[in-house]
């Protein structure tokens, strides 16, 4: 069971970081809606689909497998690095839903509405820095989580012998 949970946790982390990287690439190549409305809508739809089909399921698998691992492996109960991963996992969950998924979904809906009413372009969130910034911050947190899992910092015991 432990190996299965570790496998699922790792697989979810790979999907999560991969989806974030793909979203950053799509953001960097997002056409301007003023010059290419259909292209803008198409890329926004791809971003929304990527977030719903890869990002959120990967996040769910990562968090659930991590929580089950915490419960199933007694050695993890007192390990500080595990509690740090739990805290950053909560940050990942909330940050992904509020800072990435929500804005991506809202913008895709607004973009699709433009196809029927091109005059509604004022409703678009053309300042993408918050969306991109959220992806970068959450990607960094995910990398810290991977580092914690790989290196597993141990408590240093003080020597009782005095020199």
């Amino acid at each position: 069971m432990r190996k299965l949970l570790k496998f699922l946790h790792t697989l979810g982390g790979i999907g999560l970081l991969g989806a974030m990287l793909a979203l950053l690439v799509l953001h960097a190549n997002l056409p301007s809606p003023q010059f290419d409305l259909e292209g803008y809508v198409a890329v926004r739809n791809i971003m929304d689909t990527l977030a719903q089909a890869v990002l959120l399921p990967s996040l769910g698998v990562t968090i659930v497998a991590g929580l089950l691992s915490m419960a199933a492996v007694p050695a993890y109960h007192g390990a500080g690095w595990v509690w740090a991963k739990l805290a950053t996992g909560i940050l990942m969950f909330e940050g992904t839903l509020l800072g990435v998924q929500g804005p991506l979904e809202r913008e895709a809906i607004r973009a699709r509405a433009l196809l029927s009413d091109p005059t509604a372009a004022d409703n678009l969130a053309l300042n993408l820095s918050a969306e991109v910034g959220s992806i970068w911050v959450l990607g960094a947190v995910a990398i810290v989580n991977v580092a914690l899992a790989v290196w597993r910092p141990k408590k240093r015991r003080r020597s009782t012998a005095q020199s």
Side-chain angles (χ1 to χ4, degrees):
M1 181 65 140
R2 181 178 175 175
K3 288 190 185 247
L4 174 64
L5 290 172
K6 184 175 183 175
F7 174 76
L8 290 173
H9 189 69
T10 302
L11 193 62
I14 291 167
L16 186 66
L17 278 169
M20 287 182 183
L21 286 173
L23 288 170
L24 288 172
V25 168
L26 289 168
H27 263 293
N29 293 291
L30 190 63
S32 171
Q34 290 109 352
F35 302 114
D36 184 7
L37 181 59
E38 289 81 15
Y40 180 82
V41 173
V43 173
R44 275 299 181 173
N45 283 332
I46 291 168
M47 293 169 80
D48 185 38
T49 301
L50 179 64
Q52 289 181 26
V54 180
L55 183 71
L56 287 180
S58 295
L59 177 67
V61 167
T62 303
I63 289 175
V64 169
L67 289 173
L68 289 174
S69 290
M70 282 184 71
V73 180
Y76 291 170
H77 295 173
W81 66 270
V82 175
W83 293 102
K85 281 181 63 83
L86 175 64
T88 56
I90 293 168
L91 176 67
M92 288 294 301
F93 178 72
E94 288 186 16
T96 301
L97 290 179
L98 298 175
V100 179
Q101 173 62 29
L104 282 174
E105 186 175 359
R106 282 190 300 275
E107 195 63 13
I109 291 168
R110 290 179 188 142
R112 286 189 291 270
L114 278 178
L115 291 176
S116 60
D117 181 16
T119 62
D122 296 340
N123 294 336
L124 292 177
L126 296 178
N127 183 0
L128 305 175
S129 60
E131 203 173 299
V132 172
S134 294
I135 296 170
W136 277 108
V137 168
L138 292 170
V141 171
I143 291 170
V144 167
N145 265 335
V146 170
L148 283 171
V150 170
W151 284 289
R152 298 181 180 186
K154 306 226 184 318
K155 288 182 187 176
R156 294 211 167 115
R157 295 183 183 169
R158 291 186 182 186
S159 173
T160 56
Q162 300 213 357
S163 357

mmCIF file of all heavy atoms in Angstrom, residues 9-35:
data_model
loop_
_atom_site.group_PDB
_atom_site.id
_atom_site.type_symbol
_atom_site.label_atom_id
_atom_site.label_comp_id
_atom_site.label_asym_id
_atom_site.label_seq_id
_atom_site.Cartn_x
_atom_site.Cartn_y
_atom_site.Cartn_z
ATOM 1 N N HIS A 9 1.161 9.613 -5.468
ATOM 2 C CA HIS A 9 1.573 10.951 -5.048
ATOM 3 C C HIS A 9 2.578 11.535 -6.043
ATOM 4 O O HIS A 9 2.460 12.700 -6.448
ATOM 5 C CB HIS A 9 2.164 10.874 -3.639
ATOM 6 C CG HIS A 9 2.417 12.201 -3.010
ATOM 7 N ND1 HIS A 9 1.422 13.055 -2.614
ATOM 8 C CD2 HIS A 9 3.577 12.821 -2.695
ATOM 9 C CE1 HIS A 9 1.946 14.134 -2.090
ATOM 10 N NE2 HIS A 9 3.265 14.024 -2.130
ATOM 11 N N THR A 10 3.524 10.725 -6.452
ATOM 12 C CA THR A 10 4.530 11.175 -7.424
ATOM 13 C C THR A 10 3.895 11.445 -8.781
ATOM 14 O O THR A 10 4.181 12.462 -9.420
ATOM 15 C CB THR A 10 5.642 10.115 -7.558
ATOM 16 O OG1 THR A 10 6.219 9.897 -6.264
ATOM 17 C CG2 THR A 10 6.712 10.560 -8.528
ATOM 18 N N LEU A 11 3.046 10.552 -9.223
ATOM 19 C CA LEU A 11 2.363 10.736 -10.503
ATOM 20 C C LEU A 11 1.516 12.005 -10.498
ATOM 21 O O LEU A 11 1.522 12.777 -11.465
ATOM 22 C CB LEU A 11 1.493 9.511 -10.801
ATOM 23 C CG LEU A 11 0.945 9.377 -12.203
ATOM 24 C CD1 LEU A 11 2.071 9.258 -13.214
ATOM 25 C CD2 LEU A 11 0.038 8.158 -12.284
ATOM 26 N N GLY A 12 0.811 12.249 -9.419
ATOM 27 C CA GLY A 12 0.025 13.477 -9.301
ATOM 28 C C GLY A 12 0.898 14.713 -9.340
ATOM 29 O O GLY A 12 0.557 15.712 -9.984
ATOM 30 N N GLY A 13 2.041 14.666 -8.667
ATOM 31 C CA GLY A 13 2.972 15.797 -8.687
ATOM 32 C C GLY A 13 3.518 16.075 -10.078
ATOM 33 O O GLY A 13 3.669 17.233 -10.477
ATOM 34 N N ILE A 14 3.790 15.014 -10.819
ATOM 35 C CA ILE A 14 4.266 15.176 -12.198
ATOM 36 C C ILE A 14 3.195 15.856 -13.042
ATOM 37 O O ILE A 14 3.476 16.797 -13.791
ATOM 38 C CB ILE A 14 4.668 13.813 -12.795
ATOM 39 C CG1 ILE A 14 5.918 13.274 -12.115
ATOM 40 C CG2 ILE A 14 4.867 13.917 -14.309
ATOM 41 C CD1 ILE A 14 6.208 11.815 -12.417
ATOM 42 N N GLY A 15 1.959 15.385 -12.927
ATOM 43 C CA GLY A 15 0.860 15.989 -13.680
ATOM 44 C C GLY A 15 0.632 17.436 -13.288
ATOM 45 O O GLY A 15 0.388 18.297 -14.139
ATOM 46 N N LEU A 16 0.721 17.723 -11.999
ATOM 47 C CA LEU A 16 0.515 19.076 -11.499
ATOM 48 C C LEU A 16 1.555 20.045 -12.057
ATOM 49 O O LEU A 16 1.219 21.093 -12.613
ATOM 50 C CB LEU A 16 0.563 19.054 -9.971
ATOM 51 C CG LEU A 16 0.229 20.317 -9.231
ATOM 52 C CD1 LEU A 16 -1.229 20.692 -9.428
ATOM 53 C CD2 LEU A 16 0.517 20.142 -7.747
ATOM 54 N N LEU A 17 2.818 19.688 -11.926
ATOM 55 C CA LEU A 17 3.875 20.564 -12.441
ATOM 56 C C LEU A 17 3.846 20.645 -13.967
ATOM 57 O O LEU A 17 4.076 21.714 -14.543
ATOM 58 C CB LEU A 17 5.249 20.087 -11.955
ATOM 59 C CG LEU A 17 5.619 20.533 -10.557
ATOM 60 C CD1 LEU A 17 6.861 19.797 -10.065
ATOM 61 C CD2 LEU A 17 5.833 22.021 -10.501
ATOM 62 N N GLY A 18 3.538 19.537 -14.627
ATOM 63 C CA GLY A 18 3.436 19.552 -16.087
ATOM 64 C C GLY A 18 2.326 20.463 -16.566
ATOM 65 O O GLY A 18 2.498 21.228 -17.524
ATOM 66 N N ALA A 19 1.187 20.411 -15.891
ATOM 67 C CA ALA A 19 0.068 21.283 -16.263
ATOM 68 C C ALA A 19 0.424 22.741 -16.038
ATOM 69 O O ALA A 19 0.092 23.608 -16.860
ATOM 70 C CB ALA A 19 -1.176 20.908 -15.472
ATOM 71 N N MET A 20 1.118 23.027 -14.944
ATOM 72 C CA MET A 20 1.521 24.414 -14.682
ATOM 73 C C MET A 20 2.487 24.926 -15.745
ATOM 74 O O MET A 20 2.363 26.059 -16.211
ATOM 75 C CB MET A 20 2.144 24.532 -13.293
ATOM 76 C CG MET A 20 1.145 24.431 -12.183
ATOM 77 S SD MET A 20 1.969 24.636 -10.597
ATOM 78 C CE MET A 20 0.608 24.377 -9.495
ATOM 79 N N LEU A 21 3.432 24.089 -16.127
ATOM 80 C CA LEU A 21 4.370 24.491 -17.185
ATOM 81 C C LEU A 21 3.646 24.710 -18.510
ATOM 82 O O LEU A 21 3.920 25.680 -19.226
ATOM 83 C CB LEU A 21 5.474 23.442 -17.347
ATOM 84 C CG LEU A 21 6.524 23.423 -16.255
ATOM 85 C CD1 LEU A 21 7.466 22.244 -16.429
ATOM 86 C CD2 LEU A 21 7.304 24.724 -16.233
ATOM 87 N N ALA A 22 2.714 23.820 -18.831
ATOM 88 C CA ALA A 22 1.952 23.983 -20.072
ATOM 89 C C ALA A 22 1.133 25.271 -20.037
ATOM 90 O O ALA A 22 1.051 25.990 -21.047
ATOM 91 C CB ALA A 22 1.039 22.773 -20.292
ATOM 92 N N LEU A 23 0.543 25.590 -18.887
ATOM 93 C CA LEU A 23 -0.226 26.834 -18.771
ATOM 94 C C LEU A 23 0.671 28.056 -18.949
ATOM 95 O O LEU A 23 0.270 29.041 -19.584
ATOM 96 C CB LEU A 23 -0.952 26.893 -17.428
ATOM 97 C CG LEU A 23 -2.145 25.959 -17.286
ATOM 98 C CD1 LEU A 23 -2.630 25.918 -15.842
ATOM 99 C CD2 LEU A 23 -3.264 26.357 -18.235
ATOM 100 N N LEU A 24 1.887 27.998 -18.412
ATOM 101 C CA LEU A 24 2.818 29.116 -18.610
ATOM 102 C C LEU A 24 3.191 29.287 -20.076
ATOM 103 O O LEU A 24 3.281 30.405 -20.576
ATOM 104 C CB LEU A 24 4.069 28.923 -17.750
ATOM 105 C CG LEU A 24 3.878 29.129 -16.250
ATOM 106 C CD1 LEU A 24 5.136 28.726 -15.492
ATOM 107 C CD2 LEU A 24 3.491 30.563 -15.941
ATOM 108 N N VAL A 25 3.397 28.174 -20.774
ATOM 109 C CA VAL A 25 3.709 28.236 -22.207
ATOM 110 C C VAL A 25 2.528 28.828 -22.971
ATOM 111 O O VAL A 25 2.707 29.682 -23.853
ATOM 112 C CB VAL A 25 4.083 26.837 -22.749
ATOM 113 C CG1 VAL A 25 4.131 26.827 -24.265
ATOM 114 C CG2 VAL A 25 5.412 26.382 -22.168
ATOM 115 N N LEU A 26 1.321 28.398 -22.641
ATOM 116 C CA LEU A 26 0.136 28.935 -23.313
ATOM 117 C C LEU A 26 -0.039 30.419 -23.007
ATOM 118 O O LEU A 26 -0.395 31.199 -23.898
ATOM 119 C CB LEU A 26 -1.107 28.144 -22.905
ATOM 120 C CG LEU A 26 -1.178 26.731 -23.470
ATOM 121 C CD1 LEU A 26 -2.273 25.926 -22.791
ATOM 122 C CD2 LEU A 26 -1.391 26.769 -24.978
ATOM 123 N N HIS A 27 0.220 30.825 -21.777
ATOM 124 C CA HIS A 27 0.140 32.249 -21.436
ATOM 125 C C HIS A 27 1.123 33.066 -22.267
ATOM 126 O O HIS A 27 0.798 34.154 -22.736
ATOM 127 C CB HIS A 27 0.434 32.472 -19.951
ATOM 128 C CG HIS A 27 -0.782 32.577 -19.102
ATOM 129 N ND1 HIS A 27 -1.674 33.606 -19.191
ATOM 130 C CD2 HIS A 27 -1.255 31.756 -18.138
ATOM 131 C CE1 HIS A 27 -2.644 33.432 -18.319
ATOM 132 N NE2 HIS A 27 -2.420 32.290 -17.677
ATOM 133 N N ALA A 28 2.321 32.535 -22.423
ATOM 134 C CA ALA A 28 3.350 33.255 -23.178
ATOM 135 C C ALA A 28 2.987 33.384 -24.656
ATOM 136 O O ALA A 28 3.479 34.287 -25.335
ATOM 137 C CB ALA A 28 4.695 32.542 -23.033
ATOM 138 N N ASN A 29 2.134 32.507 -25.141
ATOM 139 C CA ASN A 29 1.757 32.522 -26.556
ATOM 140 C C ASN A 29 0.299 32.914 -26.775
ATOM 141 O O ASN A 29 -0.252 32.670 -27.846
ATOM 142 C CB ASN A 29 2.027 31.149 -27.171
ATOM 143 C CG ASN A 29 3.506 30.853 -27.211
ATOM 144 O OD1 ASN A 29 4.241 31.478 -27.951
ATOM 145 N ND2 ASN A 29 3.941 29.933 -26.367
ATOM 146 N N LEU A 30 -0.319 33.525 -25.785
ATOM 147 C CA LEU A 30 -1.711 33.936 -25.868
ATOM 148 C C LEU A 30 -1.837 35.124 -26.826
ATOM 149 O O LEU A 30 -1.242 36.170 -26.599
ATOM 150 C CB LEU A 30 -2.217 34.322 -24.478
ATOM 151 C CG LEU A 30 -3.694 34.570 -24.293
ATOM 152 C CD1 LEU A 30 -4.489 33.293 -24.578
ATOM 153 C CD2 LEU A 30 -3.974 35.042 -22.877
ATOM 154 N N PRO A 31 -2.598 34.958 -27.913
ATOM 155 C CA PRO A 31 -2.739 36.081 -28.847
ATOM 156 C C PRO A 31 -3.595 37.195 -28.245
ATOM 157 O O PRO A 31 -4.402 36.967 -27.345
ATOM 158 C CB PRO A 31 -3.428 35.462 -30.069
ATOM 159 C CG PRO A 31 -4.002 34.184 -29.610
ATOM 160 C CD PRO A 31 -3.303 33.771 -28.363
ATOM 161 N N SER A 32 -3.409 38.379 -28.750
ATOM 162 C CA SER A 32 -4.196 39.523 -28.300
ATOM 163 C C SER A 32 -5.620 39.401 -28.839
ATOM 164 O O SER A 32 -5.814 39.165 -30.038
ATOM 165 C CB SER A 32 -3.565 40.817 -28.798
ATOM 166 O OG SER A 32 -4.427 41.897 -28.546
ATOM 167 N N PRO A 33 -6.624 39.587 -27.988
ATOM 168 C CA PRO A 33 -8.007 39.483 -28.475
ATOM 169 C C PRO A 33 -8.365 40.594 -29.463
ATOM 170 O O PRO A 33 -9.272 40.434 -30.269
ATOM 171 C CB PRO A 33 -8.856 39.556 -27.212
ATOM 172 C CG PRO A 33 -7.986 40.135 -26.170
ATOM 173 C CD PRO A 33 -6.571 39.823 -26.549
ATOM 174 N N GLN A 34 -7.652 41.716 -29.431
ATOM 175 C CA GLN A 34 -7.927 42.799 -30.374
ATOM 176 C C GLN A 34 -7.542 42.419 -31.798
ATOM 177 O O GLN A 34 -8.149 42.881 -32.749
ATOM 178 C CB GLN A 34 -7.195 44.093 -29.978
ATOM 179 C CG GLN A 34 -7.746 44.726 -28.733
ATOM 180 C CD GLN A 34 -6.783 44.596 -27.562
ATOM 181 O OE1 GLN A 34 -5.767 43.910 -27.638
ATOM 182 N NE2 GLN A 34 -7.120 45.234 -26.449
ATOM 183 N N PHE A 35 -6.518 41.585 -31.942
ATOM 184 C CA PHE A 35 -6.020 41.246 -33.274
ATOM 185 C C PHE A 35 -6.418 39.851 -33.736
ATOM 186 O O PHE A 35 -6.488 39.593 -34.929
ATOM 187 C CB PHE A 35 -4.488 41.392 -33.309
ATOM 188 C CG PHE A 35 -4.027 42.772 -32.948
ATOM 189 C CD1 PHE A 35 -3.311 42.994 -31.795
ATOM 190 C CD2 PHE A 35 -4.340 43.853 -33.754
ATOM 191 C CE1 PHE A 35 -2.891 44.263 -31.455
ATOM 192 C CE2 PHE A 35 -3.917 45.139 -33.417
ATOM 193 C CZ PHE A 35 -3.200 45.342 -32.256
#
